């Protein structure tokens, strides 16, 4: 067990970040992705020992390793989506700074972050994640527009059924 850790303290923290509707120009460029990740590490004062990039047909992967820390990024340009996994054995890693910098760099409209405490030997709820979701103004407008369209369609269908039923009862329609 880590020195100074008590049963109530977790040894590490894992942060899962989902970035939606990212800027196409950035997430299709391996150079832009690597620069964004490097800039986020600089802003968070994280010294990275090793970083590597792998380009596949439909995905770009970045893996970074540091002392008591790893970072993986999977960019899916065709989906406008970036999935990030950060794990730290240190409790003072500024995950919020890292996340905000990456969201800004990739131009994500929506961010979903899930945090998991790892290695809390005294807590049965050790692996229960906490989620936070943030949506940009444009994302909210788009979501509201879709919901209004769906609600309008439902009301239109229900109104047609009511009118048809009333017409049958009054003998106007057979």
């Amino acid at each position: 067990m880590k020195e100074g850790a008590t049963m109530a303290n977790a040894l590490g923290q894992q942060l899962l970040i989902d970035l939606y509707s990212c800027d196409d120009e950035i997430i299709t460029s391996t150079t832009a992705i690597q620069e964004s990740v490097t800039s986020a590490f600089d802003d968070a004062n994280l010294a990275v020992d090793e970083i590597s990039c792998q380009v596949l047909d439909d995905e770009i992967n970045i893996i970074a390793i540091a002392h008591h820390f790893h970072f993986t990024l999977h960019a899916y340009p065709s989906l406008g989506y970036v999935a990030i996994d950060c794990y730290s054995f240190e409790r003072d890693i500024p995950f919020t700074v890292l996340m905000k910098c990456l969201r800004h760099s990739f131009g994500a409209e929506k961010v979903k972050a899930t945090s998991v405490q790892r290695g809390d030997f005294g807590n049965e709820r050790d692996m229960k994640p906490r989620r936070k979701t943030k949506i940009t103004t444009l994302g909210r407008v788009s979501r509201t527009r879709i919901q209004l369209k769906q609600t309008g369609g439902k009301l239109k269908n229900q109104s047609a059924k009511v009118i048809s039923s009333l017409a049958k009862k009054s003998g106007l329609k057979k």
Side-chain angles (χ1 to χ4, degrees):
M1 190 184 301
K2 185 177 175 183
E3 186 177 313
T6 66
M7 296 302 255
N9 295 328
L11 294 177
Q13 180 176 355
Q14 186 166 9
L15 180 66
L16 308 171
I17 306 168
D18 294 307
L19 302 173
Y20 298 95
S21 301
C22 295
D23 186 327
D24 288 339
E25 285 184 36
I26 295 172
I27 66 169
T28 55
S29 165
T30 56
T31 304
I33 291 173
Q34 287 176 337
E35 288 174 357
S36 295
V37 169
T38 303
S39 176
F41 288 157
D42 288 343
D43 287 356
N45 293 319
L46 290 172
V48 176
D49 299 332
E50 183 181 332
I51 189 167
S52 64
C53 179
Q54 179 184 29
V55 180
L56 304 170
D57 290 338
D58 61 344
E59 178 182 8
I60 300 169
N61 296 319
I62 302 279
I63 299 171
I65 307 292
H67 184 67
H68 292 289
F69 175 78
H70 79 252
F71 173 95
T72 57
L73 178 145
H74 302 270
Y76 299 93
S78 63
L79 300 174
Y81 172 71
V82 175
I84 301 167
D85 174 15
C86 304
Y87 174 76
S88 175
F89 210 54
E90 301 292 328
R91 302 285 294 151
D92 58 351
I93 298 290
F95 282 129
T96 304
V97 172
L98 196 64
M99 183 174 60
K100 285 181 181 179
C101 185
L102 291 168
R103 177 184 190 177
H104 178 72
S105 292
F106 293 123
E109 286 184 19
K110 179 181 173 186
V111 174
K112 178 180 162 189
T114 304
S115 177
V116 179
Q117 299 299 314
R118 304 294 301 270
D120 186 352
F121 296 100
N123 189 349
E124 292 178 16
R125 295 178 49 190
D126 182 24
M127 296 299 289
K128 186 168 182 164
R130 292 187 312 265
R131 294 185 187 95
K132 291 183 182 180
T133 302
K134 291 188 178 184
I135 302 173
T136 63
T137 303
L138 183 60
R140 280 193 199 98
V141 168
S142 178
R143 183 178 278 178
T144 302
R145 180 183 52 78
I146 291 167
Q147 288 172 343
L148 286 172
K149 188 175 179 181
Q150 289 171 345
T151 302
K154 289 176 185 175
L155 288 174
K156 183 178 175 183
N157 289 341
Q158 288 176 348
S159 297
K161 287 178 183 176
V162 168
I163 290 171
S164 177
S165 175
L166 290 174
K168 275 185 181 179
K169 286 182 182 178
S170 64
L172 297 173
K173 186 176 179 184
K174 291 187 180 187

